[in-house]
Amino acid sequence: QGLLVESGGGLVQAGASLRLSCAASGRTFSTYNMAWFRQAPGKEREFVARSHSSGITAYADSVKGRFTISRDNAKNTLYLQMNSLRPEDTAVYYCAQFDTNDDYSGPENWRYWGQGTQVTVSS
């Protein structure tokens, strides 16, 4: 049984940085595509960034240039470095594993999820 556990969220001021981590277990981490999504109150879950098993990355336009997704296959851990945070980045951030088709921006296309970590950015 696989498990994804996010950590690193918190309350910060606008302009600050945070690094989220997602520790994976139970599956061969290096062979899976991984992603970060987020969900703000009253909004749908939205795509943030994706890390293909090959190392290729992709980002939502709203975070491009500010966020960096990375992975350490030796530690079975996915990261999201978030810089220049804005109040609109406030959300619960989720780690996802195994996209079932090429439309990786759709949360319905990811099979495994963590429980989420709250990020709150004050103005």
Side-chain angles (χ1 to χ4, degrees):
Q1 186 73 17
L3 191 64
L4 301 172
V5 180
E6 301 95 334
S7 62
L11 171 62
V12 297
Q13 290 189 329
S17 298
L18 278 176
R19 188 176 82 154
L20 306 183
S21 299
C22 171
S25 62
R27 288 180 283 268
T28 308
F29 180 79
S30 63
T31 65
Y32 283 93
N33 299 337
M34 302 290 297
W36 289 98
F37 284 77
R38 66 187 182 186
Q39 188 166 18
K43 294 188 176 181
E44 295 187 350
R45 193 167 297 190
E46 66 173 3
F47 170 76
V48 174
R50 177 205 192 215
S51 170
H52 191 275
S53 59
S54 66
I56 296 173
T57 58
Y59 296 91
D61 287 343
S62 59
V63 306
K64 203 171 292 184
R66 300 188 298 122
F67 291 10
T68 302
I69 189 171
S70 62
R71 61 195 297 162
D72 185 334
N73 289 333
K75 295 183 178 180
N76 292 344
T77 302
L78 180 74
Y79 302 100
L80 185 68
Q81 178 66 44
M82 305 186 296
N83 299 329
S84 302
L85 283 161
R86 305 167 180 169
E88 55 263 39
D89 295 318
T90 295
V92 177
Y93 283 71
Y94 296 92
C95 170
Q97 185 179 52
F98 187 25
D99 47 346
T100 58
N101 63 44
D102 289 338
D103 181 19
Y104 56 79
S105 65
E108 68 278 6
N109 297 322
W110 291 81
R111 183 167 295 180
Y112 306 117
W113 293 87
Q115 83 291 346
T117 186
Q118 176 71 47
V119 172
T120 303
V121 185
S122 63
S123 57

